[in-house]
């Protein structure tokens, strides 16, 4: 009996020592740079969001937050690297709407959004914008659709690759208007919108951030926002929403969220969540996000987990309804 009591006492002491050691490590966090993986190339809207947050979080955490761009394979390369990183709080990643769409259109993903990541916080949302060229057939969305429907060869719609949000938005547009557009893949919104401006393709769904420079130069025209109501963002206040265009039910919000590898200690997750939300609330960051057309929305980890699960389920159904099969 005494031996059993001694073993129980030693086990309890070991557990207490482990907890104390872990608590000390968490209290010292962070004591080295944190890597923020962006699974897309530098220069896009996600990269700009990451850099705005990283700059502010570096100041408040007292340790550098370094943006690490890992583009390739429609976001799979960087996302897989984040999923396989040590769950110690020193690797974060930005995930977004395409990550919720991917399971519905990709047969063998090297990661699982819900299983391999611990949510930190939501960052924000932005409606998609359908951009077209400056020709007379694109004066407004109804004219664009009417002209496309009467042509023997409807115009091409650019998208950023199979399974991306711009691809599914274009497929949904074709499904709702019953027009067989020619879907043309590109390596991102930047080259797609350049070809929209040149008249090579008829249109492209993208964020305001992606199209703002060409729109400001009067080389492309926003015809539609994928929200239920008009949005009060710079350059979009006069652009009709879905309900005005006869496409109610096609609502699509691009969204961005901060995650960490699964099993990252909850104490560390909560510290990172507080710092991220504080960064989003900083005037300089808010100004930058507003310029990108991002409507900020922080969250709890539980709220973000439920949101990501709901988004994955929604896009699984959308892909099924319009006949897209995993490839």
């Amino acid at each position: 009996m005494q031996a059993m009591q001694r073993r129980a006492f030693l086990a309890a002491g070991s557990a207490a020592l482990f907890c104390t050691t872990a608590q000390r490590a968490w209290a010292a966090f962070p004591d080295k740079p944190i890597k923020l993986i962006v699974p897309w190339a530098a220069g896009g809207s996600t990269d700009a969001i990451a850099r705005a947050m990283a700059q502010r979080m570096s100041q408040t955490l007292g340790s550098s937050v370094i943006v690490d761009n890992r583009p390739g394979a429609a976001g799979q390369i960087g996302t897989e690297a984040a999923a396989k990183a040590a769950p110690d709080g020193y690797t974060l990643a930005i995930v977004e709407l395409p990550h919720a769409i991917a399971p519905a259109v990709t047969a063998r993903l090297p990661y699982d959004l819900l299983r391999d990541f611990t949510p930190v916080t939501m960052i924000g949302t932005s409606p998609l914008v359908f951009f077209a060229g400056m020709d007379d057939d694109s004066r407004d969305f109804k004219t664009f659709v009417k002209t496309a429907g009467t042509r023997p060869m409807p115009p091409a719609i650019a998208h950023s690759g199979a399974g991306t949000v711009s691809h599914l938005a274009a497929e949904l547009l074709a499904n709702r208007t019953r027009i067989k557009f020619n879907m043309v893949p590109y390596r991102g919104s930047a080259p797609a919108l350049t070809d929209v401006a040149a008249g090579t393709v008829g249109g492209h769904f993208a964020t305001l951030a992606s199209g703002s420079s060409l729109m400001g130069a009067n080389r492309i025209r926003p015809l539609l926002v994928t929200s239920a109501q008009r949005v009060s963002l710079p350059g979009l206040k006069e652009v009709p929403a879905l309900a005005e265009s006869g496409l109610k039910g096609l609502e699509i919000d691009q969204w961005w969220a901060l995650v960490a590898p699964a099993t990252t200690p909850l104490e560390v997750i909560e510290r990172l969540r507080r710092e991220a939300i504080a960064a989003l609330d900083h005037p300089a960051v808010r100004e930058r996000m507003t310029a990108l057309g991002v409507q900020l929305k922080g969250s709890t980890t539980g709220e973000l987990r439920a949101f990501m699960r709901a988004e994955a389920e929604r896009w699984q159904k959308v892909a099924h309804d319009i006949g897209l099969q995993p490839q």
Side-chain angles (χ1 to χ4, degrees):
M1 178 66 72
Q2 288 181 343
M4 291 178 62
Q5 290 175 334
R6 187 179 299 110
R7 283 196 296 271
F9 176 79
L10 290 172
S14 296
L17 179 61
F18 174 79
C19 290
T20 302
T21 303
Q23 287 168 350
R24 285 201 198 101
W26 295 332
F29 176 85
D31 58 5
K32 62 181 181 180
I34 295 171
K35 181 164 46 182
L36 175 53
I37 293 179
V38 174
W40 315 105
S45 55
T46 304
D47 179 63
I49 290 168
R51 291 182 187 280
M53 291 187 67
Q55 182 178 9
R56 181 60 189 168
M57 288 177 70
S58 295
Q59 296 170 0
T60 58
L61 281 167
S63 186
S64 297
V65 178
I66 301 169
V67 175
D68 182 8
N69 296 92
R70 302 263 191 111
Q76 292 182 35
I77 291 174
T79 309
E80 181 183 14
K84 292 181 177 178
D88 54 10
Y90 289 99
T91 299
L92 296 170
I94 288 186
V95 296
E96 50 190 291
L97 176 55
H99 289 90
I101 294 172
V105 296
T106 308
R108 290 179 295 276
L109 279 175
Y111 64 87
D112 184 299
L113 180 63
L114 300 177
R115 182 193 65 210
D116 294 337
F117 293 100
T118 298
V120 178
T121 181
M122 190 75 159
I123 295 172
T125 65
S126 176
L128 291 185
V129 182
F130 183 68
F131 291 102
M134 301 299 292
D135 56 81
D136 287 343
D137 291 342
S138 303
R139 291 190 303 275
D140 54 61
F141 183 73
K142 290 183 178 180
T143 302
F144 177 86
V145 170
K146 182 179 179 180
T147 304
T150 58
R151 287 180 178 176
M153 292 290 292
I157 301 293
H159 64 77
S160 299
T164 60
V165 62
S166 60
H167 179 211
L168 263 69
E171 293 285 1
L172 281 169
L173 176 65
N175 179 269
R176 296 298 176 83
T177 59
R178 302 188 182 278
I179 297 173
K180 193 174 178 64
F181 293 103
N182 177 24
M183 304 294 178
V184 182
Y186 280 75
R187 295 185 60 128
S189 284
L193 288 172
T194 298
D195 275 7
V196 171
T200 307
V201 291
H204 176 62
F205 283 96
T207 60
L208 174 62
S210 297
S212 59
S213 60
L214 286 172
M215 186 176 74
N218 290 320
R219 295 185 60 200
I220 58 174
R221 176 184 287 139
L223 299 187
L224 175 76
V225 291
T226 61
S227 54
Q229 300 175 336
R230 294 193 184 197
V231 295
S232 57
L233 293 172
L236 296 182
K237 294 178 182 179
E238 303 303 319
V239 179
L242 293 170
E244 302 171 71
S245 305
L247 295 173
K248 189 176 180 181
L250 190 64
E251 291 83 358
I252 305 171
D253 272 339
Q254 168 67 299
W255 53 264
W256 298 267
L258 193 65
V259 297
T263 74
T264 299
L266 293 181
E267 291 83 353
V268 173
I269 292 291
E270 183 57 27
R271 171 78 190 282
L272 291 167
R273 190 187 76 84
R274 291 197 307 269
E275 297 292 348
I277 289 179
L280 293 175
D281 199 41
H282 189 267
V285 177
R286 293 187 75 86
E287 182 179 356
R288 177 63 176 141
M289 296 290 194
T290 299
L292 292 169
V294 179
Q295 299 164 307
L296 299 178
K297 291 183 180 180
S299 72
T300 66
T301 58
E303 289 168 344
L304 177 53
R305 188 183 299 279
F307 174 81
M308 291 194 301
R309 181 176 291 110
E311 282 287 274
E313 291 172 356
R314 177 197 178 192
W315 289 101
Q316 188 76 43
K317 183 177 185 306
V318 168
H320 177 269
D321 289 348
I322 62 178
L324 289 181
Q325 299 294 324
Q327 296 180 356

